Structures are given as C-alpha cells and as structure tokens.
Amino acid sequence: MKNVKIIDLYDLKHTIADEYLQKFTYPWEALKGISDMIIDLGNKLDPNEYDNPSENVWIHKTAKIYPSAYLGAPCIIGANTEVRHCAFIRGSALVGENCVVGNSVELKNVIIFDNVQTPHYNYVGDSILGYKSHMGAGSITSNVKSDKTNVVIKSCGESLETGIKKIGAMLGDNVEVGCNSVLNPGTIIGRNSNIYPTSCVRGVVPEGSVWKTGGVVVKKR
C-alpha cells in the first residue's frame, strides 16, 4: 500500500523521536511504545534546558505553560512551545518545538513534531502529527471504531490489518486540516495535503491532495 509508511509521511529531522520512529515501518506501529519512549528520552534531557516539575514531566525552559493547563505524565514539552489555558495533556504526549497546544485541546498518546499547531478545541489521541501540520478549530481525531474492532487501513480497494484497537490519524508534514473536520480511525493524510472544513475523512489521502466536500479527492495544482 502506497503513502502510508513513516518514510512517506515524515521528515524525522523535526522530532526528538527520530531514532524511535526509525525502528518501525508504519507509523501506527509506534503508538504502543510512546509512553516508555518519552520516559527514556526525558531522563536523558539536559536539566539546564528542561525543568522537571513532577515525575516524568519535562518542560523546556523557553516553553510557555498557562496556569490552567494540565500536564499529565509522561510528557515532554519542547522549546518555545505554548500550552494554553485549559489544555488537557492526559499523558504519553511528546510535543515538539515551536508548537501550539491551544485552549481546551486534549492530547493523549501522541507524537507531535516541531512547528505543529493544534490551537482550538482539538482532540488528538493515538496519533502522530508531522512537521508544520495544522488542525483547524474543532477538528478531531477519532481513535476507536464504533464497533470496537481493530482498525484496518483502507485505500483503493486494498486493506491493511493493524491488529490495534485504538488508532487516530497520521498526518504527514505540512498537512492542513480544516475546521470542524473529523478524522476517522486509521486516517492517513499524505504530506502537503489539505482537508476542507467540516469534512468526515477516512482511509488514505495521497500526498499533495485536496479532500473536498463529499470526499472528492483531487491533486493540488
């Protein structure tokens, strides 16, 4: 199946999870070990650069954490990142540099590359968001199927069994997700693609594409 491997979606120079992700072929294979990976990375961080305010929580000294934000363990917050009012980081969240985790955003079991924005009312769970990807206000990743069966990745008549019950979305580098969109379990969006606002997305969106109203997919001009 095309466009679904880690090497297809991400430039690993833009995350401190680069060595970890190199162990896998498909991005969803990395979800199970995110918590342990964060703890391992966190214990190696320079204490001159990162604060460690509670067990298994590391915050870069240049990051801005608003007073009402909740940071659950384990998590790492990178340099120059903002975690705004009422953000809820449930744990197992690696947030890169120059990111925005906005008001009332919830993160859980995620790898967020550098320069990613989840600025308003987003839920991102069991997902990986690539470099400079952006989720519009109210857009969410749905990470469990309604029948609670394992997620299957589907594209152009092909199916790829994951053996995993909880998978959100895998956003490649420079992906733009429009406001109030729902990314169904196992959605894969290729690099430099755009999703129209209020879309209900499933399956694989090829690199350099536009997902339009009604699920019509066209190549970007």
Side-chain angles (χ1 to χ4, degrees):
M1 186 180 291
K2 298 180 179 179
N3 303 305
V4 298
K5 295 180 179 179
I6 288 173
I7 59 173
D8 300 324
L9 297 167
Y10 306 113
D11 183 345
L12 298 184
K13 295 195 304 289
H14 299 293
T15 176
I16 62 172
D18 53 344
E19 291 186 9
Y20 174 72
L21 289 171
Q22 287 174 27
K23 300 175 183 178
F24 306 101
T25 300
Y26 301 108
W28 56 86
E29 295 173 330
L31 295 176
K32 184 177 180 180
I34 288 177
S35 181
D36 290 339
M37 177 267 293
I38 291 172
I39 293 170
D40 181 61
L41 283 175
N43 285 319
K44 298 174 183 175
L45 294 173
D46 185 348
N48 293 315
E49 295 185 14
Y50 285 82
D51 293 323
N52 183 204
S54 59
E55 185 177 8
N56 295 330
V57 173
W58 294 271
I59 305 169
H60 197 277
K61 293 180 185 293
T62 62
K64 183 174 182 180
I65 311 299
Y66 285 67
S68 59
Y70 175 84
L71 273 58
C75 73
I76 295 173
I77 307 298
N80 301 306
T81 284
E82 284 193 14
V83 181
R84 295 175 177 167
H85 283 296
C86 299
F88 179 30
I89 297 181
R90 283 170 53 186
S92 300
L94 172 58
V95 183
E97 300 180 355
N98 305 304
C99 294
V100 174
V101 181
N103 57 302
S104 303
V105 168
E106 181 177 350
L107 302 181
K108 171 254 180 185
N109 202 46
V110 293
I111 297 174
I112 308 291
F113 278 55
D114 299 338
N115 294 80
V116 170
Q117 294 194 345
T118 57
H120 314 284
Y121 307 106
N122 308 110
Y123 171 70
V124 186
D126 301 289
S127 299
I128 300 176
L129 307 189
Y131 177 62
K132 285 190 175 181
S133 59
H134 171 262
M135 296 190 67
S139 60
I140 65 169
T141 65
S142 174
N143 59 339
V144 181
K145 294 170 63 176
S146 59
D147 62 5
K148 307 300 189 292
T149 57
N150 290 339
V151 175
V152 179
I153 311 299
K154 296 182 179 181
S155 177
C156 301
E158 292 185 88
S159 296
L160 193 58
E161 299 282 347
T162 68
I164 303 173
K165 182 178 176 181
K166 291 187 177 182
I167 302 177
M170 307 294 149
L171 273 57
D173 297 337
N174 297 292
V175 163
E176 289 280 343
V177 178
C179 296
N180 291 321
S181 293
V182 176
L183 310 181
N184 284 279
T187 294
I188 313 291
I189 304 178
R191 300 181 198 224
N192 305 305
S193 290
N194 291 57
I195 305 300
Y196 268 25
T198 71
S199 294
C200 182
V201 186
R202 65 179 66 251
V204 178
V205 180
E207 177 178 338
S209 297
V210 180
W211 177 288
K212 294 189 172 186
T213 303
V216 176
V217 179
V218 299
K219 294 296 292 182
K220 292 177 75 171
R221 294 179 180 177

